[in-house]
Amino acid sequence: MPRAKRTYEERTADPAAQEMLIRADELGIGTAFSRADDMVPCNIGGAGMCCKLCGMGPCRLTKDGQTGVCGATIDTIQARNLVRAIAAGAAAHSDHGRDMAFILKAVANGETEGYVIRDVAKLRIVASKYGIPIDKRSPEEIANDLADLYISQFGQQRGEIVPIKRAPAKRQKLWREHGVIPRGIDREVVEALHRTHIGDDQDPEHILHHAIRTGLTDGWGGSMIATDVSDILFGTPAPLLGQANLGVLRDDMVNIVVHGHEPSLSEMIVAASQDPEIIEYAKQAGAKGVNLSGICCTANEILMRQGIPAAGNFLHQELAILTGSVEAMVVDVQCIMQALVGLASNFHTKIITTSPKVKIKGATHIEFDEHRALTVAKNILKTSIDNFKNRGATHIPQVREDLIPGFSHEYINYMLGGSYRASFRPLNDAIMSGRVRGVAAIVGCNNPRSKQDYLHTYVTQELLKQDVLIVETGCGAIAAAKLGLLLGEAGLEKVGPGLKEVCETVGIPPVLHMGSCVDNTRILTVLTQMVEEGGLGDDIDQIPAVGLAPEWMSEKALAIATYCVASGAYVIFGGASPVSGMPDRVSDSDQVLRYISEGWEELYGGKLEFIADVDEMIKNTLEHIDKKRKALGLPEYDPDRFGRGGDNRMLELEQMPVEERREALYGVAAD
Ligand code: SF4
Ligand code: MSK
């Protein structure tokens, strides 16, 4: 029996996306949304019960007590599948970090075109963390040493990767005791593949022990390197005004959408698009100019540094092309759907691949090379502009929302105290007093198997009502942006009274956009700084905080979850669990599920759970936050204690008769 097709409202919460899905149906064009309806997920593989690691299989373990041909049990198979996914995710993030480190090296040695070291202060701070001398040295000399150190982390064979030093001291000690500190980034990823080859590691807990080490190579390794170098080269983000959703595309301009992850080329495209020569070239082609926008994490990178608008998140990549207004979609690595090329053939859009690692059959390949980055960027722009004349009918939904992104940990530190008193003290105090009940990081992808953006934004809004401060990254941040949750005052009336007071006093939105998916390391840094500030325990697992990825889909998300758990966080994933097993044979297939939750919690204080029900996600989040508050001896959360400060109080005072106001302010009645 064919599966029922979901309605547009069931497929996405975003009105712009709904409009484009109607257009897709009118044009008879499929998208990930319709393919997800047509493709019944495999319930055996989906539950982690299929092994295809060797030619004796694939083995599907669907019966109680069944093993693979080699004798592998369901628990071993699930653990192996999970660690392989974590290794792939860690590899993707870390390879991004490696590329950035190589660019830093080339910039330091004057071998690139178009790049400069934009944030010398961050370069000096990061270098000094590792003992690299900074006094009386040029930025290039320091950058050269830092690049060498970072490059060496990938191929290091023994010892400890250096960014680990940036974790709280107690956490480092715990990792050392458990023997999970990565020796080298590549080494742990290779070992994950080796251990899961046929006939190797077959103790599920032992396999999952290495999952922790592999995850740590990402969060406290490759991703941290990627974020550091991106900030050094392109500037550490600070708040600015941006826009999000498909309505940022323009009918009268050449639309170029950059999509993927690495900022190295997209930053150069931003620079080249402002070149008078390119603007003139676009005008000669009959356009008013070049309109750049982003999709996925490339969008986040250039949005938070340059204010370039985001056309959308993961599930918007096809929808942007469906507008018929995109001259070129320029992609690099990760989260790029192969379907783009076929979809684009219905329109004039060129799909331009740029990474030496990623080609798609039918796409135009213009390879990025940091040594001639500006030239390559201009070439891409001119190719896109040349395509403007081929544009046909367009349909751009007039839906867009303003947002304020750019909350790097450096900026959060600064905003809480200004230049002279920058610190996390006010945030810690707000949590300790109960004004802010706790912190939730809501991150990760879209997944067409759930209603796009719905889980992200529902969880966000419900937690805000409960005085939980939210930080977001990746496609989750764009989901919140599209709903207007990343604006200063916007939506504050729906925020709990204590959090509202804090937001009004500091002048921040209740949801802080912290960047792309590699930038989840900024959240690790914030948590570490909160520990170091004092009052919230001496390790990350004591902070009343939870991480959520309600609409996850990528292996990178699993790697992120693992390093957050290893760092002490409770992590909740929505949607399907890749290690769920069959409910009717739970007796012999829940070992992995239990181990990554209870087992990891016992060892690291953090745990990973897959929770499909959204209200249960929220309930568990709040219970965890309250449990951590209690363990710290903090006052029980009570929303009635707050809400009579900030703008509320000012308004209340303004509306009082003079005598009453005087009494309220000074405790004395009028003469
Ligand atoms: Fe089957 Fe074992 Fe080969 Fe996996 S490794 S496919 S369980 S025989
Ligand atoms: S892009 S990994 S869909 S967050 Fe980073 Fe979005 Fe997830 Fe890709």
Side-chain angles (χ1 to χ4, degrees):
M1 207 175 77
R3 293 180 87 209
K5 233 170 104 170
R6 292 171 296 169
T7 63
Y8 303 115
E9 291 76 18
E10 284 167 341
R11 287 176 173 179
T12 173
D14 178 346
Q18 287 167 7
E19 194 176 322
M20 293 320 296
L21 291 179
I22 293 170
R23 177 164 159 85
D25 280 353
E26 284 167 358
L27 297 173
I29 296 173
T31 62
F33 296 88
S34 59
R35 291 190 295 274
D37 284 350
D38 296 340
M39 172 74 68
V40 181
C42 168
N43 60 348
I44 300 169
M49 303 192 308
C50 171
C51 179
K52 51 184 178 62
L53 292 184
C54 87
M56 294 187 281
C59 299
R60 288 162 298 157
L61 273 56
T62 55
K63 299 190 186 78
D64 244 350
Q66 200 178 13
T67 66
V69 173
C70 67
T73 63
I74 181 76
D75 305 310
T76 300
I77 287 172
Q78 287 185 333
R80 288 198 302 217
N81 288 342
L82 184 61
V83 76
R84 280 206 163 203
I86 292 165
H93 276 156
S94 299
D95 214 29
H96 170 166
R98 183 202 325 266
D99 286 346
M100 296 308 301
F102 274 120
I103 293 178
L104 183 65
K105 174 82 181 168
V107 173
N109 289 282
E111 294 164 1
T112 57
E113 181 194 49
Y115 297 108
V116 290
I117 296 171
R118 283 230 185 100
D119 194 338
V120 175
K122 177 145 188 177
L123 168 70
R124 291 167 69 87
I125 290 168
V126 173
S128 10
K129 285 184 199 297
Y130 303 124
I132 294 173
I134 57 170
D135 279 349
K136 300 194 181 94
R137 298 186 81 204
S138 71
E140 287 71 23
E141 285 171 309
I142 302 169
N144 183 59
D145 286 0
L146 181 64
D148 281 343
L149 177 71
Y150 273 171
I151 290 165
S152 73
Q153 299 307 296
F154 295 91
Q156 183 172 289
Q157 302 303 322
R158 295 198 181 86
E160 297 179 351
I161 57 171
V162 292
I164 288 290
K165 288 184 188 162
R166 289 155 69 173
K170 192 172 169 193
R171 183 75 10 193
Q172 292 180 44
K173 186 165 172 279
L174 182 79
W175 289 335
R176 247 168 235 125
E177 281 163 12
H178 291 313
V180 290
I181 296 192
R183 296 154 292 190
I185 295 169
D186 294 354
R187 178 169 181 182
E188 308 311 350
V189 173
V190 168
E191 189 170 313
L193 296 180
H194 178 192
R195 282 187 188 217
T196 52
H197 183 271
I198 162 77
D200 277 305
D201 201 357
Q202 288 156 58
D203 173 344
E205 289 185 11
H206 194 239
I207 295 168
L208 292 169
H209 176 264
H210 189 66
I212 290 283
R213 188 154 48 188
T214 309
L216 287 173
T217 64
D218 180 352
W220 295 91
S223 279
M224 197 165 269
I225 291 173
T227 298
D228 280 351
V229 177
S230 299
D231 285 354
I232 289 166
L233 287 178
F234 307 120
T236 301
L240 39 67
L241 187 63
Q243 283 197 321
N245 218 335
L246 293 168
V248 305
L249 297 170
R250 295 276 302 263
D251 251 328
D252 53 357
M253 296 177 94
V254 175
N255 289 308
I256 300 171
V257 180
V258 287
H259 168 27
H261 280 79
E262 295 182 356
S264 37
L265 173 63
S266 50
E267 282 282 347
M268 240 359 94
I269 291 181
V270 174
S273 70
Q274 288 151 8
D275 189 313
E277 176 204 339
I278 294 294
I279 295 169
E280 188 48 38
Y281 195 77
K283 285 187 177 156
Q284 278 172 13
K288 279 205 175 136
V290 171
N291 180 42
L292 270 189
S293 61
I295 292 269
C296 272
C297 283
T298 297
N300 286 320
E301 296 280 357
I302 53 175
L303 169 69
M304 64 182 177
R305 292 198 179 87
Q306 314 293 348
I308 301 294
N313 44 8
F314 178 64
L315 286 176
H316 271 41
Q317 56 188 290
E318 292 175 293
L319 308 185
I321 294 173
L322 272 160
T323 65
S325 69
V326 176
E327 274 57 57
M329 185 170 278
V330 184
V331 302
D332 54 18
V333 293
Q334 302 164 25
C335 303
I336 300 144
M337 291 192 198
Q338 187 168 354
L340 292 181
V341 172
L343 181 82
S345 69
N346 294 289
F347 304 92
H348 72 306
T349 308
K350 272 186 190 300
I351 305 297
I352 302 179
T353 51
T354 58
S355 166
K357 294 167 202 159
V358 175
K359 283 195 176 183
I360 308 175
K361 228 171 181 41
T364 305
H365 190 72
I366 303 178
E367 197 153 302
F368 172 65
D369 173 2
E370 66 264 29
H371 303 100
R372 15 186 310 276
L374 202 55
T375 307
V376 174
K378 283 188 182 173
N379 182 8
I380 289 171
L381 287 168
K382 285 185 175 170
T383 305
S384 312
I385 294 167
D386 289 344
N387 198 23
F388 184 65
K389 61 178 180 297
N390 299 319
R391 191 190 276 188
T394 62
H395 181 119
I396 302 173
Q398 290 309 306
V399 181
R400 70 187 81 81
E401 193 53 79
D402 288 344
L403 73 143
I404 302 184
F407 290 90
S408 54
H409 52 268
E410 287 87 347
Y411 189 81
I412 295 177
N413 192 29
Y414 161 78
M415 81 188 180
L416 291 170
S419 297
Y420 299 107
R421 290 178 292 114
S423 93
F424 274 75
R425 192 70 257 151
L427 176 61
N428 283 22
D429 284 347
I431 293 173
M432 289 165 70
S433 67
R435 251 190 195 85
V436 171
R437 184 171 183 173
V439 181
I442 303 180
V443 307
C445 324
N446 286 141
N447 187 327
R449 298 218 172 273
S450 62
K451 179 171 166 175
Q452 183 195 14
D453 294 350
Y454 169 72
L455 292 175
H456 279 300
T457 52
Y458 180 77
V459 173
T460 300
Q461 287 171 296
E462 289 304 307
L463 291 178
L464 288 177
K465 286 182 202 160
Q466 299 291 329
D467 289 299
V468 176
L469 177 69
I470 311 284
V471 296
E472 300 206 347
T473 61
C475 290
I478 300 177
K482 287 190 283 173
L483 201 72
L485 295 170
L486 302 187
L487 278 173
E489 322 276 79
L492 275 188
E493 71 283 354
K494 295 184 196 138
V495 170
L499 177 61
K500 187 175 171 192
E501 270 183 29
V502 173
C503 291
E504 284 172 348
T505 309
V506 183
I508 51 165
V511 183
L512 303 179
H513 184 319
M514 293 193 72
S516 62
C517 39
V518 289
D519 291 333
N520 283 310
T521 62
R522 295 190 200 277
I523 300 174
L524 297 179
T525 307
V526 165
L527 292 169
T528 303
Q529 291 185 334
M530 286 167 76
V531 166
E532 285 165 358
E533 188 59 47
L536 293 175
D538 57 1
D539 198 356
I540 293 173
D541 63 331
Q542 294 171 46
I543 297 176
V546 176
L548 298 110
E551 299 177 26
W552 79 279
M553 65 89 200
S554 81
E555 290 169 317
K556 288 182 292 170
L558 291 168
I560 293 166
T562 310
Y563 70 66
C564 288
V565 169
S567 304
Y570 176 24
V571 177
I572 299 174
F573 269 37
S577 159
V579 290
S580 64
M582 288 277 196
D584 58 343
R585 45 169 296 178
V586 86
S587 56
D588 74 338
S589 65
D590 69 346
Q591 192 187 340
V592 171
L593 216 48
R594 265 189 293 115
Y595 191 73
I596 62 177
S597 173
E598 292 157 31
W600 276 352
E601 188 171 34
E602 214 171 286
L603 294 170
Y604 304 105
K607 58 181 172 176
L608 172 58
E609 286 179 354
F610 294 86
I611 300 175
D613 181 81
V614 64
D615 292 313
E616 196 183 331
M617 267 185 228
I618 294 162
K619 182 173 110 346
N620 285 20
T621 300
L622 294 173
E623 278 175 7
H624 184 81
I625 283 174
D626 290 344
K627 189 174 94 184
K628 294 293 170 183
R629 292 188 64 85
K630 194 169 177 195
L632 286 167
L634 300 180
E636 207 174 310
Y637 167 68
D638 174 8
D640 294 336
R641 288 174 52 221
F642 303 104
R644 302 202 64 238
D647 291 357
N648 268 353
R649 185 63 177 150
M650 292 303 288
L651 285 173
E652 206 177 272
L653 287 167
E654 250 174 47
Q655 284 155 10
M656 279 180 189
V658 176
E659 299 78 15
E660 215 182 300
R661 187 187 315 157
R662 188 171 167 146
E663 188 166 0
L665 282 172
Y666 309 113
V668 286
D671 296 331

